[in-house]
Amino acid sequence: MAIDDTITNATVSEMTAYRQLGFMAALPSEIVQQIFQYLNQRDCLVSMTVCRDWDAVVPQYSKSVWRELRLNFNDASRDYRRRERCLGDHVQSVILESTAEERESGLYIMMRKVLDWGCHGIESLGKVGNSYGCDTG
């Protein structure tokens, strides 16, 4: 007999999940979260492209990486579905990067996006960039 008839469907699905998730299925979730703490936001997004299973689980393990969000107008206006899935109430700090051309309306658009992404636990908000084109010379 090529395949043992005693293997149940549950066992086969568990083995399939283990093969697809690899170390994430083999280790306790606390350990996987600690591993993801060593990644930056870009690394988390790249890891989500490994396969559909990783795409589905990386956001839950990488919440600590997304406590601070740096966002510029180009980021806010692009469609970043993976990044959006990593955001939520765990985002505590938002830093908006703007240029003189973006003015207050650009800042408003960026902040509206952040709220639309479910970041309702923000404790601090900052802005970096040009001070609205004021000429100091």
Side-chain angles (χ1 to χ4, degrees), residues 41 64-70 90-95:
Q41 292 173 356
S64 65
V65 175
W66 296 94
R67 287 195 177 117
E68 179 180 291
L69 176 64
R70 291 184 79 90
H90 54 277
V91 175
Q92 298 172 348
S93 174
V94 176
I95 299 173

Side-chain angles (χ1 to χ4, degrees), residues 24-93:
M24 285 192 270
L27 296 173
S29 62
E30 296 82 15
I31 302 295
V32 178
Q33 287 173 344
Q34 288 180 358
I35 292 169
F36 274 94
Q37 288 177 354
Y38 290 97
L39 301 180
N40 61 36
Q41 292 173 356
R42 179 157 172 62
D43 292 338
C44 288
L45 294 174
V46 169
S47 69
M48 291 172 72
T49 66
V50 169
C51 67
R52 287 183 182 150
D53 293 311
W54 279 42
D55 184 61
V57 299
V58 166
Q60 75 187 31
Y61 292 122
S62 63
K63 288 181 178 180
S64 65
V65 175
W66 296 94
R67 287 195 177 117
E68 179 180 291
L69 176 64
R70 291 184 79 90
L71 188 68
N72 63 45
F73 187 75
N74 289 332
D75 290 338
S77 60
R78 290 187 187 135
D79 185 21
Y80 286 121
R81 289 193 172 104
R82 283 193 176 97
R83 180 188 58 199
E84 291 173 29
R85 291 193 9 258
C86 292
L87 304 177
D89 284 332
H90 54 277
V91 175
Q92 298 172 348
S93 174

Side-chain angles (χ1 to χ4, degrees), residues 98-110 127 132:
S98 69
T99 63
E101 297 80 35
E102 292 163 0
R103 305 261 184 220
E104 291 161 6
S105 62
L107 292 172
Y108 174 79
I109 291 169
M110 287 190 282
K127 178 193 168 294
Y132 298 117

Side-chain angles (χ1 to χ4, degrees), residues 3-22:
I3 298 176
D4 186 1
D5 291 332
T6 61
I7 296 177
T8 65
N9 287 339
T11 305
V12 170
S13 65
E14 288 171 4
M15 289 172 26
T16 302
Y18 177 78
R19 268 186 275 134
Q20 292 172 339
L21 293 173

